[in-house]
Amino acid sequence: MSGAISVRHGAFGRAAMYELNKPIIPHGHREGHLIFYLDGAPAVVNVSGKDYLANREKAVAVSPWEPHSFDVQSSTHESCLCLVLYIKPIWFLESSQTAEFTLNFGRSEIRMTDQVCHWVHRLSSQLLEEENESQFNAYLFETTAQSYQQSWKGQSETSIIKSLRTRFSDYRVRRSLQLMQENFTDTIEMESLAREVGLSRPHFFKLFKKQMGVTPNLYLNTLRSEKAIEELMTTEKTVSDIGFDLGFSSQASFTRFFASNVGIPPSDYRRVACMGN
């Protein structure tokens, strides 16, 4: 059974310890994303169409808006215990030496060096203990910093700079982002959205995917997931009310959506996250 052991939100991101035995469908985040194996069955994370192992030797890094999915590699339904970090884009901006690197890891495969292992262990231990909560942001920062530096070792700047320079450049994509951000709680028909920005549906999907790295549907799911997490953490609304406010017809459909995109049910996320904050 998939579930959360600990979730904690901090100044520039959040960390979660999950026990997962079910796949997580393709999705995206505006945050940077790090996935560390801790115990149990290893996992495979597909990032932009390529598989990467999460095991004792390797972790997986996902840059903001890279589409990715998760699956446990076990024929006996054994769970994977993993540490998952979500890092706000502002961290990349403040920590990068050059503007070209501000929204990306250098590679998706992260070697579990002694330094990376050290900080993963300290952060994991901190999530399991109630004391030393003041150290959470420092441990999250160091774990991310070590992984970020490791991801750029030996990497060429050329391809990533080219990718960043083409992103967000088309005014029609920028307009569609604005429309989705303003109306993501409503039912959005992609055909109508494409017409609104002056494109056919196929052309709109192709242009959006080229510039954002994810499809319009995945982007919309991200907005809804982020809003759901915010509501779970900052309001006393019931799970049903949060789902209805986000446009879902029932609590069951909202719970399925949240579990498929985040990995655990919304009630489980709220219970564990509120305990740790």
Side-chain angles (χ1 to χ4, degrees):
M1 180 72 177
S2 296
I5 295 171
S6 179
V7 178
R8 191 158 296 167
H9 289 236
F12 67 93
R14 69 187 194 272
M17 191 177 293
Y18 292 144
E19 189 171 19
L20 301 172
N21 64 2
K22 295 179 180 179
I24 300 177
I25 64 172
H27 61 289
H29 309 284
R30 69 176 76 236
E31 305 106 327
H33 195 30
L34 286 161
I35 302 164
F36 300 99
Y37 166 89
L38 297 178
D39 201 4
V44 168
V45 184
N46 185 284
V47 183
S48 296
K50 185 175 180 180
D51 287 342
Y52 296 91
L53 281 175
N55 55 26
R56 297 192 187 281
E57 290 78 37
K58 299 171 184 176
V60 181
V62 183
S63 295
W65 293 122
E66 276 195 297
H68 57 284
S69 59
F70 176 96
D71 199 8
V72 179
Q73 297 298 287
S74 173
S75 58
T76 59
H77 303 289
E78 183 182 5
S79 297
C80 175
L81 181 65
C82 52
L83 174 68
V84 184
L85 311 187
Y86 305 84
I87 310 301
K88 295 177 182 178
I90 189 65
W91 181 89
F92 291 87
L93 180 63
E94 294 175 344
S95 303
S96 302
Q97 295 182 352
T98 59
E100 287 83 3
F101 298 169
T102 56
L103 290 178
N104 286 79
F105 290 103
R107 61 164 69 86
S108 293
E109 184 176 277
I110 303 293
R111 281 197 313 113
M112 293 298 293
T113 62
D114 290 343
Q115 278 290 86
V116 174
C117 287
H118 171 78
W119 288 107
V120 166
H121 175 73
R122 294 195 71 172
L123 180 57
S124 299
S125 298
Q126 204 275 340
L127 284 174
L128 294 174
E129 300 170 356
E130 292 185 3
E131 62 268 19
N132 264 346
E133 289 188 10
S134 61
Q135 295 297 314
F136 172 73
N137 285 319
Y139 291 174
L140 183 61
F141 178 89
E142 290 296 342
T143 306
T144 302
Q146 290 296 329
S147 302
Y148 182 78
Q149 292 167 18
Q150 217 283 315
S151 79
W152 278 106
K153 285 187 177 179
Q155 293 299 294
S156 167
E157 302 175 13
T158 306
S159 60
I160 195 64
I161 292 174
K162 182 179 178 181
S163 172
L164 286 169
R165 284 176 178 169
T166 60
R167 187 171 284 191
F168 314 121
S169 61
D170 193 285
Y171 72 94
R172 293 164 296 186
V173 172
R174 293 200 303 271
R175 174 60 177 158
S176 72
L177 295 177
Q178 180 185 356
L179 290 170
M180 280 192 275
Q181 288 164 358
E182 291 173 351
N183 302 286
F184 68 88
T185 59
D186 302 324
T187 300
I188 296 179
E189 296 292 339
M190 290 300 163
E191 189 91 31
S192 300
L193 182 60
R195 284 199 304 270
E196 185 75 18
V197 298
L199 296 170
S200 66
R201 190 178 189 278
H203 189 188
F204 171 59
F205 267 70
K206 183 177 180 180
L207 185 62
F208 194 99
K209 177 73 183 299
K210 179 181 178 181
Q211 296 223 334
M212 294 301 299
V214 296
T215 65
N217 302 93
L218 285 183
Y219 182 87
L220 196 59
N221 286 346
T222 300
L223 295 180
R224 288 175 172 151
S225 297
E226 289 178 348
K227 185 62 175 178
I229 289 173
E230 179 187 337
E231 296 280 279
L232 290 167
M233 291 293 299
T234 62
T235 75
E236 295 183 359
K237 291 181 181 179
T238 66
V239 171
S240 293
D241 285 344
I242 293 173
F244 289 140
D245 289 347
L246 289 172
F248 292 91
S249 59
S250 67
Q251 180 177 334
S253 60
F254 170 58
T255 296
R256 284 194 299 271
F257 166 83
F258 192 93
S260 295
N261 284 273
V262 179
I264 59 172
S267 55
D268 195 6
Y269 188 96
R270 169 179 267 171
R271 175 180 57 81
V272 178
C274 290
M275 286 172 55
N277 289 274

